mmCIF file of all heavy atoms in Angstrom:
data_model
loop_
_atom_site.group_PDB
_atom_site.id
_atom_site.type_symbol
_atom_site.label_atom_id
_atom_site.label_comp_id
_atom_site.label_asym_id
_atom_site.label_seq_id
_atom_site.Cartn_x
_atom_site.Cartn_y
_atom_site.Cartn_z
ATOM 1 N N LEU A 185 18.251 -5.012 -3.914
ATOM 2 C CA LEU A 185 19.098 -6.050 -3.373
ATOM 3 C C LEU A 185 19.764 -6.856 -4.442
ATOM 4 O O LEU A 185 20.992 -7.115 -4.426
ATOM 5 C CB LEU A 185 18.338 -6.907 -2.372
ATOM 6 C CG LEU A 185 19.200 -7.981 -1.693
ATOM 7 C CD1 LEU A 185 20.292 -7.357 -0.839
ATOM 8 C CD2 LEU A 185 18.323 -8.884 -0.843
ATOM 9 N N ASP A 186 18.942 -7.264 -5.431
ATOM 10 C CA ASP A 186 19.505 -8.068 -6.533
ATOM 11 C C ASP A 186 20.631 -7.325 -7.261
ATOM 12 O O ASP A 186 21.656 -7.884 -7.601
ATOM 13 C CB ASP A 186 18.403 -8.369 -7.554
ATOM 14 C CG ASP A 186 17.424 -9.397 -7.047
ATOM 15 O OD1 ASP A 186 17.708 -10.118 -6.089
ATOM 16 O OD2 ASP A 186 16.273 -9.499 -7.611
ATOM 17 N N THR A 187 20.449 -6.011 -7.472
ATOM 18 C CA THR A 187 21.491 -5.185 -8.140
ATOM 19 C C THR A 187 22.734 -5.165 -7.331
ATOM 20 O O THR A 187 23.849 -5.282 -7.894
ATOM 21 C CB THR A 187 20.916 -3.764 -8.326
ATOM 22 O OG1 THR A 187 19.758 -3.797 -9.188
ATOM 23 C CG2 THR A 187 22.029 -2.886 -9.031
ATOM 24 N N LYS A 188 22.626 -4.967 -6.025
ATOM 25 C CA LYS A 188 23.849 -4.910 -5.167
ATOM 26 C C LYS A 188 24.553 -6.260 -5.112
ATOM 27 O O LYS A 188 25.769 -6.278 -5.182
ATOM 28 C CB LYS A 188 23.412 -4.471 -3.787
ATOM 29 C CG LYS A 188 24.589 -4.205 -2.868
ATOM 30 C CD LYS A 188 25.386 -3.029 -3.287
ATOM 31 C CE LYS A 188 26.468 -2.663 -2.241
ATOM 32 N NZ LYS A 188 27.364 -1.608 -2.649
ATOM 33 N N VAL A 189 23.799 -7.317 -4.983
ATOM 34 C CA VAL A 189 24.434 -8.702 -4.938
ATOM 35 C C VAL A 189 25.176 -8.984 -6.217
ATOM 36 O O VAL A 189 26.286 -9.548 -6.197
ATOM 37 C CB VAL A 189 23.392 -9.738 -4.658
ATOM 38 C CG1 VAL A 189 23.938 -11.150 -4.845
ATOM 39 C CG2 VAL A 189 22.820 -9.583 -3.223
ATOM 40 N N ALA A 190 24.559 -8.543 -7.365
ATOM 41 C CA ALA A 190 25.247 -8.798 -8.646
ATOM 42 C C ALA A 190 26.499 -7.999 -8.782
ATOM 43 O O ALA A 190 27.477 -8.385 -9.538
ATOM 44 C CB ALA A 190 24.238 -8.449 -9.775
ATOM 45 N N ALA A 191 26.563 -6.863 -8.095
ATOM 46 C CA ALA A 191 27.781 -5.996 -8.228
ATOM 47 C C ALA A 191 28.860 -6.227 -7.313
ATOM 48 O O ALA A 191 30.002 -5.769 -7.507
ATOM 49 C CB ALA A 191 27.302 -4.485 -8.131
ATOM 50 N N GLU A 192 28.638 -6.958 -6.202
ATOM 51 C CA GLU A 192 29.658 -7.087 -5.128
ATOM 52 C C GLU A 192 30.015 -8.590 -4.914
ATOM 53 O O GLU A 192 29.179 -9.415 -4.790
ATOM 54 C CB GLU A 192 29.092 -6.552 -3.825
ATOM 55 C CG GLU A 192 28.661 -5.081 -3.854
ATOM 56 C CD GLU A 192 29.824 -4.173 -4.063
ATOM 57 O OE1 GLU A 192 31.010 -4.552 -3.861
ATOM 58 O OE2 GLU A 192 29.576 -2.998 -4.410
ATOM 59 N N SER A 193 31.280 -8.845 -4.985
ATOM 60 C CA SER A 193 31.759 -10.232 -4.873
ATOM 61 C C SER A 193 31.595 -10.791 -3.454
ATOM 62 O O SER A 193 31.512 -12.061 -3.275
ATOM 63 C CB SER A 193 33.251 -10.298 -5.270
ATOM 64 O OG SER A 193 34.072 -9.514 -4.377
ATOM 65 N N ASN A 194 31.502 -9.956 -2.504
ATOM 66 C CA ASN A 194 31.284 -10.448 -1.090
ATOM 67 C C ASN A 194 29.860 -10.453 -0.605
ATOM 68 O O ASN A 194 29.580 -10.656 0.543
ATOM 69 C CB ASN A 194 32.215 -9.692 -0.123
ATOM 70 C CG ASN A 194 31.796 -8.201 0.022
ATOM 71 O OD1 ASN A 194 31.292 -7.632 -0.908
ATOM 72 N ND2 ASN A 194 32.021 -7.662 1.155
ATOM 73 N N TRP A 195 28.929 -10.230 -1.551
ATOM 74 C CA TRP A 195 27.518 -10.299 -1.249
ATOM 75 C C TRP A 195 26.910 -11.546 -1.953
ATOM 76 O O TRP A 195 27.134 -11.738 -3.164
ATOM 77 C CB TRP A 195 26.765 -9.070 -1.800
ATOM 78 C CG TRP A 195 27.044 -7.848 -1.001
ATOM 79 C CD1 TRP A 195 28.159 -7.222 -0.712
ATOM 80 C CD2 TRP A 195 26.028 -6.952 -0.414
ATOM 81 N NE1 TRP A 195 28.010 -6.016 0.012
ATOM 82 C CE2 TRP A 195 26.668 -5.870 0.183
ATOM 83 C CE3 TRP A 195 24.581 -6.992 -0.381
ATOM 84 C CZ2 TRP A 195 26.031 -4.845 0.858
ATOM 85 C CZ3 TRP A 195 23.916 -6.003 0.229
ATOM 86 C CH2 TRP A 195 24.615 -4.893 0.861
ATOM 87 N N SER A 196 26.135 -12.375 -1.171
ATOM 88 C CA SER A 196 25.550 -13.523 -1.841
ATOM 89 C C SER A 196 24.182 -13.759 -1.211
ATOM 90 O O SER A 196 23.880 -13.421 -0.010
ATOM 91 C CB SER A 196 26.426 -14.821 -1.684
ATOM 92 O OG SER A 196 26.563 -15.056 -0.317
ATOM 93 N N ILE A 197 23.321 -14.450 -1.956
ATOM 94 C CA ILE A 197 21.987 -14.848 -1.528
ATOM 95 C C ILE A 197 21.997 -16.301 -1.136
ATOM 96 O O ILE A 197 22.287 -17.175 -1.951
ATOM 97 C CB ILE A 197 20.936 -14.604 -2.580
ATOM 98 C CG1 ILE A 197 20.858 -13.144 -3.024
ATOM 99 C CG2 ILE A 197 19.574 -15.120 -2.087
ATOM 100 C CD1 ILE A 197 20.315 -12.215 -1.894
ATOM 101 N N VAL A 198 21.718 -16.572 0.184
ATOM 102 C CA VAL A 198 21.678 -17.939 0.664
ATOM 103 C C VAL A 198 20.406 -18.613 0.165
ATOM 104 O O VAL A 198 20.412 -19.726 -0.311
ATOM 105 C CB VAL A 198 21.739 -17.955 2.162
ATOM 106 C CG1 VAL A 198 21.513 -19.399 2.712
ATOM 107 C CG2 VAL A 198 23.105 -17.437 2.656
#
Side-chain angles (χ1 to χ4, degrees):
L185 183 60
D186 288 342
T187 298
K188 186 66 174 177
V189 169
E192 304 292 343
S193 60
N194 65 330
W195 287 55
S196 63
I197 299 293
V198 173

